[in-house]
C-alpha cells in the first residue's frame, strides 16, 4: 500500500486470550494498537481492536484491568512520562468495572492532561464543567454501565489551537441521531462515539469537531454481522477505521464505528452511488455488487441494496452471486490451460472413436456433422447445433446432465456445417465441461478450482451454485423472483453454474490479460488465440465477447444478470445483480452505467485491495 495507506488489522468479538495472541503477533510485526474497546457478551469479556503498521510513539497497552489495576498502570505510565491517549470502560460478567487503555510517550513536551474514571453522570458533568472552564478540552470519553447506572471515563487536555468542538453524553439512540444530524448540518465532524447499555437502554456519548476532514461515515447500533458487512463495504471504497466501540445488550453484541476516506474524492463516491441507485430504482433491483480494477489493482468494490429482502441483509463485496454465462469465460480459460498442457488442441475432434468424448453419450450412430465438431467449434458457438425447438439446457428437467447430452445427440442433428455459422449455444459449453473432466481426470468444478482459481489470489471462493434456496452457500445472496430456483444450476455448470464475487471476476482478468503488471496463468499467444474471433463471427472469440473497446462476457438467467469487462484503457470491472430486470434482460444497460462511472473518475487510488 501507499505510504498514507499502511497495512492494518481490525478484529472484533475476540476473547481475552485471542486478543492477547493477536496483540503479541502484530506488535512483533511492528503494528501499533490505535483503538480498542472491551465489552461482555454471554458472560465473557470480548474485545474489538484496530492495529496499523505505521511509525509512532512508544506505547504501553493494557486490557482487562479492574479499577485498581488500571489506576496502578496509570501511575506507572505517568512516572515513565507516558501520556494516556485512550481509556475505555466496560462491565465484566460479575458486574465489576474493567478498563482497556493505551499510553504513548510523546517526542516533545506533552500537553497538560487530566484523566478520570468511574465517574457517575453527575461527577462526569462536574469534571467536564470544571476542566473546560480552566481551558481544557475533552479528547476522549467512554460510557459504560456499573451497578445499573452509567459511569464514565474521560481524558481532558489543555490543547492550544484546538478546533471548535462539542460533546454530548447520556443520549438515547433517537437523541443521538438527532444530535448527530444537527451537528453535521452545522459543519461538525464526529471524532468519537461510545455506546453503552444501562438498564436495557442503549446510550451514546460523542465528541464533535468543526474542522476540515476527509470524507467520513459513522454507524451505531450495528449487530456483529451488520458491522462486518459495513466494514467490508467501507474498506473496499478506501475508508479506514478510526473508532470501534463494542457494547452489549445481554447476549447481543453491538457496535458503533467511525471511518474516514483518505483515498477517494467525495464527488466520485457520490457519483458512483447516484448512478447505481438510479439504475436500481428504475429497474426494481434488490441488490447489486460491483468491483473495479485499474492497471490490475483492485481500487474499488461496493455492494448496494439487499442480499436478502426478508432479513434486510445488505449486500457487501464478499457476497456471492450467480454469474450465469460469464461462466463460459471461466470454462474457456480452463480449456486453453489444458491445450497448453498438451492434453488436446483446438482442432481435436469431440465425438467418435478417436474423439475426446469418444462414444460415451447417446445410443445412436453419430452423423458426419457431429463427427466433425471440434473443440474450437464449441468454444466459438459454431458447432452447427441449434436451439431450434428450445434451449436443451432448460428442457427435460428430469434428466441428469449425462442423460440430457445423450438425449440431444439422439434427437437433434446439427443444423449447420460445423465452423460455418455462429449460434450462441449453452449446450456446447456443457460439452466443454465434460471434455475438461475427461482430459483432467477431475470433476469440472474441481479442475477449475484446483488448476485455475486456487492459482489466482482470492478467487478460491468461487463455487458451482446450488439449485434450490436450501442449497445457498455461505454469503450467497437470495435471487428474485422465487422462480429463479427452478433452474438446474449444477447441470449448467460449465455454461452458467458458477457463483462468484465481482472482485473474483476482475481478479481472473488480471491474470489473463497479456499485461506485464501481474503474471498471467496463460501464455500470451494462448490469450491472443482465445481473444480472436471466428470467421463466422468476428465479435466472439473463444468464450469472450470481442469489441473494439473491450473484451468480456455478460450473463443472464432468471434471478441474475452479470457482466465482466476488460476495457482497452487499463480498467476492468464486473457487476452482479440478484434479479433479471425486465428492461435490462442482458445487462447492457447496467454495463452502460459502469462505463459512465469509470469514465467519470479521473484518479483512482494507488493501492491494491486484492487479498494477499
Amino acid at each position: 500500500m501507499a505510504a498514507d495507506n499502511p497495512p492494518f488489522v481490525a478484529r472484533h468479538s475476540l476473547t481475552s486470550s485471542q486478543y492477547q495472541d493477536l496483540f503479541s503477533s502484530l506488535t512483533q510485526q511492528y503494528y501499533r494498537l490505535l483503538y480498542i474497546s472491551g465489552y461482555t457478551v454471554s458472560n465473557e469479556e470480548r474485545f474489538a481492536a484496530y492495529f496499523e503498521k505505521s511509525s509512532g510513539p512508544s506505547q504501553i497497552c493494557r486490557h482487562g484491568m479492574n479499577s485498581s489495576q488500571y489506576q496502578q498502570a496509570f501511575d506507572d505510565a505517568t512516572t515513565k512520562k507516558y501520556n494516556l491517549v485512550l481509556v475505555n470502560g466496560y462491565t465484566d460478567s460479575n458486574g465489576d468495572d474493567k478498563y482497556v487503555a493505551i499510553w504513548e510517550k510523546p517526542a516533545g513536551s506533552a500537553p497538560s492532561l487530566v484523566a478520570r474514571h468511574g465517574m457517575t453522570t453527575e461527577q462526569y458533568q462536574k469534571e467536564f464543567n470544571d476542566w473546560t472552564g480552566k481551558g481544557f478540552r475533552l479528547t476522549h470519553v467512554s460510557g459504560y454501565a456499573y451497578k445499573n447506572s452509567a459511569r464514565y471515563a474521560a481524558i481532558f487536555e489543555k490543547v492550544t489551537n484546538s478546533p471548535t468542538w462539542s460533546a454530548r453524553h447520556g443520549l438515547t439512540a433517537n437523541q443521538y441521531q438527532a444530535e448527530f444530524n444537527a451537528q453535521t448540518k452545522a459543519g461538525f465532524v464526529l471524532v468519537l462515539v461510545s455506546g453503552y447499555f444501562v438498564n436495557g437502554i442503549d446510550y451514546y456519548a460523542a465528541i464533535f469537531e468543526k474542522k476540515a476532514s476527509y470524507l467520513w461515515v459513522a454507524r451505531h447500533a450495528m449487530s456483529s454481522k451488520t458491522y462486518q458487512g459495513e466494514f467490508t463495504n467501507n474498506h473496499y471504497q478506501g475508508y479506514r477505521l478510526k473508532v470501534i466501540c463494542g457494547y452489549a445488550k445481554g447476549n447481543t453484541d453491538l457496535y458503533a464505528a467511525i471511518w474516514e476516506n483518505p483515498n477517494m474524492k467525495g464527488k466520485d463516491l457520490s457519483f458512483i452511488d447516484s448512478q447505481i441507485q438510479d439504475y436500481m430504482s428504475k429497474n426494481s433491483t434488490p441488490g447489486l455488487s460491483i468491483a473495479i480494477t485499474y492497471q490490475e489493482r483492485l481500487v474499488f468494490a461496493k455492494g448496494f441494496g439487499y442480499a436478502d429482502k426478508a432479513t434486510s441483509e445488505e449486500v457487501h463485496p464478499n457476497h456471492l452471486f450467480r454469474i450465469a454465462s460469464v461462466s463460459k469465460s471461466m470454462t474457456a480459460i480452463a480449456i486453453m490451460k489444458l491445450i497448453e498442457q498438451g492434453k488436446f488442441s483446438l482442432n481435436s475432434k469431440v465425438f467418435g472413436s478417436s474423439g475426446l468424448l469418444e462414444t460415451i453419450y447417446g445410443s445412436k450412430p453419430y452423423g458426419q456433422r457431429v463427427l466433425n465438431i471440434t473443440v474450437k467449434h464449441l468454444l466459438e458457438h459454431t458447432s452447427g447445433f441449434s436451439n431450434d425447438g428450445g434451449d436443451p439446457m432448460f428442457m427435460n428437467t428430469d434428466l441428469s446432465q449425462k442423460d440430457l447430452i445423450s438425449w440431444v445427440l439422439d434427437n437433434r442433428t446439427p443444423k449447420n456445417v460445423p465452423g460455418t455459422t455462429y449460434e450462441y449455444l449453452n449446450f456446447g459449453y456443457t460439452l466443454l465441461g465434460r471434455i475438461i473432466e475427461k482430459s483432467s481426470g477431475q470433476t469440472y468444478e474441481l479442475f477449475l478450482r484446483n488448476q485455475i482459481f486456487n492459482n489466482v489470489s482470492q478467487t478460491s471462493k468461487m463455487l458451482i451454485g446450488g439449485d434450490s434456496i436450501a442449497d445457498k452457500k455461505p454469503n450467497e445472496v437470495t435471487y428474485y423472483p422465487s422462480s429463479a430456483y427452478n433452474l438446474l444450476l449444477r447441470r449448467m455448470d460449465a455454461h452458467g453454474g458458477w457463483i462468484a464475487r465481482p472482485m473474483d471476476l476482475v481478479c481472473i482478468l488480471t491474470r489473463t490479460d497479456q499485461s506485464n503488471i501481474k503474471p498471467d496463468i496463460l501464455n500470451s499467444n494462448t490469450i491472443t488465440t482465445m481473444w480472436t474471433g471466428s470467421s463466422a463471427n468476428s465479435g466472439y472469440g473463444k468464450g469472450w465477447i470481442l469489441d473494439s473497446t473491450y473484451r468480456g462476457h455478460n450473463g443472464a438467467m432468471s434471478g441474475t444478470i452479470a457482466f465482466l469487462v476488460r476495457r482497452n484503457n487499463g480498467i476492468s470491472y464486473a457487476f452482479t445483480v440478484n434479479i433479471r430486470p425486465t428492461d435490462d434482460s442482458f445487462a447492457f444497460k447496467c454495463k452502460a452505467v459502469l462505463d459512465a462511472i469509470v469514465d467519470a473518475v479521473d484518479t483512482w487510488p494507488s493501492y491494491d485491495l486484492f487479498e494477499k
Side-chain angles (χ1 to χ4, degrees):
M1 286 187 177
D4 60 342
N5 283 285
F8 67 86
V9 174
R11 297 288 187 270
H12 66 285
S13 198
L14 297 170
T15 65
S16 181
S17 60
Q18 288 171 336
Y19 168 72
Q20 185 60 60
D21 289 345
L22 180 66
F23 179 89
S24 300
S25 173
L26 291 176
T27 52
Q28 290 176 8
Q29 301 172 56
Y30 305 104
Y31 281 77
R32 301 175 69 248
L33 178 65
L34 297 190
Y35 208 93
I36 180 172
S37 64
Y39 46 109
T40 298
V41 182
S42 298
N43 294 320
E44 187 170 27
E45 293 179 39
R46 300 282 178 165
F47 300 90
Y50 177 77
F51 300 83
E52 194 174 86
K53 196 171 188 176
S54 57
S55 60
S58 175
Q59 291 184 317
I60 297 173
C61 305
R62 298 287 185 269
H63 73 285
M65 299 176 287
N66 62 33
S67 182
S68 61
Q69 289 170 333
Y70 165 66
Q71 186 62 60
Q72 183 63 55
F74 180 91
D75 294 340
D76 290 345
T78 302
T79 300
K80 297 174 183 176
K81 300 189 182 304
Y82 280 76
N83 273 10
L84 184 69
V85 295
L86 178 149
V87 54
N88 284 328
Y90 64 99
T91 308
D92 69 10
S93 58
N94 296 319
D96 296 325
D97 52 330
K98 289 285 191 71
Y99 299 90
V100 294
I102 303 173
W103 291 265
E104 293 183 348
K105 193 168 191 175
S109 59
S112 298
L113 177 150
V114 175
R116 298 287 187 267
H117 68 283
M119 296 178 286
T120 65
T121 301
E122 294 75 15
Q123 290 169 335
Y124 170 61
Q125 187 64 63
K126 183 179 184 304
E127 292 284 341
F128 181 94
N129 295 340
D130 288 347
W131 291 109
T132 56
K134 296 175 183 178
F136 285 70
R137 64 152 293 182
L138 181 70
T139 57
H140 189 85
V141 61
S142 169
Y144 52 102
Y146 178 71
K147 298 188 185 303
N148 297 321
S149 64
R151 291 290 189 271
Y152 297 90
I155 304 171
F156 301 90
E157 290 185 15
K158 199 160 192 176
V159 181
T160 58
N161 300 318
S162 172
T164 303
W165 63 279
S166 66
R168 300 290 186 271
H169 66 281
L171 301 174
T172 65
N174 289 338
Q175 291 170 335
Y176 168 66
Q177 187 62 62
E179 185 69 23
F180 178 92
N181 295 341
Q183 294 277 359
T184 54
K185 185 177 181 180
F188 283 77
V189 174
L190 180 70
V191 296
L192 186 137
V193 59
S194 174
Y196 49 107
F197 267 90
V198 181
N199 294 323
I201 300 174
D202 54 325
Y203 293 94
Y204 299 87
I207 302 175
F208 300 86
E209 290 182 358
K210 196 165 192 176
K211 63 176 184 178
S213 74
Y214 293 120
L215 195 68
W216 60 278
V217 295
R219 299 289 185 269
H220 66 284
M222 295 178 287
S223 68
S224 180
K225 185 173 184 178
T226 299
Y227 165 66
Q228 186 59 63
E230 191 76 21
F231 182 94
T232 302
N233 237 347
N234 288 331
H235 168 60
Y236 285 108
Q237 295 175 76
Y239 284 90
R240 297 180 71 85
L241 187 67
K242 304 303 291 184
V243 173
I244 172 61
C245 175
Y247 51 115
K249 180 180 182 180
N251 295 330
T252 302
D253 50 329
L254 296 177
Y255 299 87
I258 304 172
W259 293 264
E260 67 176 29
N261 195 331
N263 301 297
M264 292 284 293
K265 298 175 183 175
K267 68 177 183 65
D268 291 335
L269 291 174
S270 295
F271 183 75
I272 293 170
D273 284 353
S274 65
Q275 292 293 298
I276 296 296
Q277 295 295 349
D278 183 60
Y279 172 87
M280 293 178 69
S281 177
K282 289 178 179 177
N283 291 279
S284 301
T285 302
L288 187 152
S289 186
I290 67 174
I292 301 169
T293 64
Y294 177 63
Q295 295 181 343
E296 297 198 340
R297 293 178 287 105
L298 181 62
V299 292
F300 186 90
K302 186 176 181 180
F304 302 82
Y306 293 109
D308 189 314
K309 293 191 294 184
T311 63
S312 297
E313 180 183 352
E314 296 181 346
V315 177
H316 57 70
N318 278 330
H319 274 110
L320 295 160
F321 286 72
R322 292 176 177 176
I323 64 171
S325 287
V326 179
S327 301
K328 292 181 174 65
S329 298
M330 306 301 110
T331 299
I333 292 169
I335 288 288
M336 302 310 286
K337 172 58 72 173
L338 286 167
I339 289 173
E340 284 190 349
Q341 293 174 355
K343 299 293 186 181
F344 50 81
S345 73
L346 283 175
N347 294 320
S348 294
K349 297 293 178 60
V350 176
F351 297 108
S353 57
S354 60
L356 296 174
L357 297 181
E358 301 172 323
T359 57
I360 296 172
Y361 300 101
S363 58
K364 299 178 182 178
Y366 300 146
Q368 194 57 50
R369 287 187 176 180
V370 170
L371 292 171
N372 287 341
I373 294 172
T374 65
V375 172
K376 180 181 178 183
H377 296 147
L378 296 178
L379 285 167
E380 295 177 342
H381 299 292
T382 60
S383 67
F385 275 109
S386 172
N387 287 319
D388 288 357
D391 185 336
M393 298 312 302
F394 294 89
M395 300 169 60
N396 298 313
T397 56
D398 58 321
L399 297 181
S400 68
Q401 186 183 69
K402 181 178 180 180
D403 289 342
L404 179 67
I405 294 173
S406 295
W407 180 88
V408 173
L409 291 171
D410 284 347
N411 291 278
R412 293 188 180 183
T413 58
K415 178 180 178 181
N416 302 297
V417 174
T420 64
T421 306
Y422 173 89
E423 181 170 350
Y424 191 84
L425 191 75
N426 289 314
F427 177 69
Y429 272 74
T430 296
L431 295 175
L432 288 169
R434 312 297 64 81
I435 290 171
I436 290 170
E437 291 180 333
K438 187 77 161 47
S439 300
S440 70
Q442 300 178 51
T443 67
Y444 165 79
E445 180 179 15
L446 281 179
F447 179 79
L448 267 74
R449 284 177 55 78
N450 293 336
Q451 298 296 316
I452 307 298
F453 302 141
N454 284 349
N455 293 321
V456 178
S457 64
Q458 99 173 50
T459 59
S460 60
K461 294 180 175 64
M462 293 178 64
L463 300 163
I464 296 297
D467 297 341
S468 69
I469 196 165
D471 294 328
K472 279 178 59 174
K473 308 299 183 185
N475 266 344
E476 186 179 4
V477 300
T478 300
Y479 307 99
Y480 302 93
S482 58
S483 59
Y485 292 98
N486 294 334
L487 302 173
L488 300 179
L489 209 69
R490 297 201 66 83
R491 199 174 78 170
M492 301 178 183
D493 56 2
H495 78 80
W498 286 101
I499 60 174
R501 306 171 301 175
M503 53 188 177
D504 296 328
L505 300 178
V506 291
C507 190
I508 283 289
L509 272 180
T510 68
R511 305 296 298 278
T512 53
D513 62 356
Q514 295 180 311
S515 170
N516 294 323
I517 300 172
K518 293 180 180 178
D520 286 332
I521 58 174
L522 298 175
N523 69 49
S524 182
N525 290 337
T526 299
I527 297 171
T528 296
T529 300
M530 186 170 67
W531 285 352
T532 298
S534 69
S535 58
N537 182 1
S538 60
Y540 196 94
K542 292 146 188 73
W544 296 83
I545 296 171
L546 309 176
D547 182 84
S548 60
T549 61
Y550 76 93
R551 305 288 185 265
H553 212 295
N554 63 327
M557 60 173 60
S558 178
T560 309
I561 58 170
F563 224 125
L564 173 61
V565 172
R566 176 196 180 274
R567 290 170 37 128
N568 297 341
N569 61 354
I571 292 177
S572 296
Y573 63 77
F575 65 79
T576 51
V577 182
N578 59 349
I579 197 170
R580 187 178 188 179
T582 303
D583 198 36
D584 192 21
S585 59
F586 290 99
F588 282 91
K589 288 188 176 180
C590 194
K591 177 183 180 297
V593 172
L594 265 294
D595 284 329
I597 285 172
V598 298
D599 285 340
V601 178
D602 55 13
T603 303
W604 293 101
S606 59
Y607 55 48
D608 186 353
L609 295 174
F610 278 128
E611 298 165 10
K612 304 302 182 185

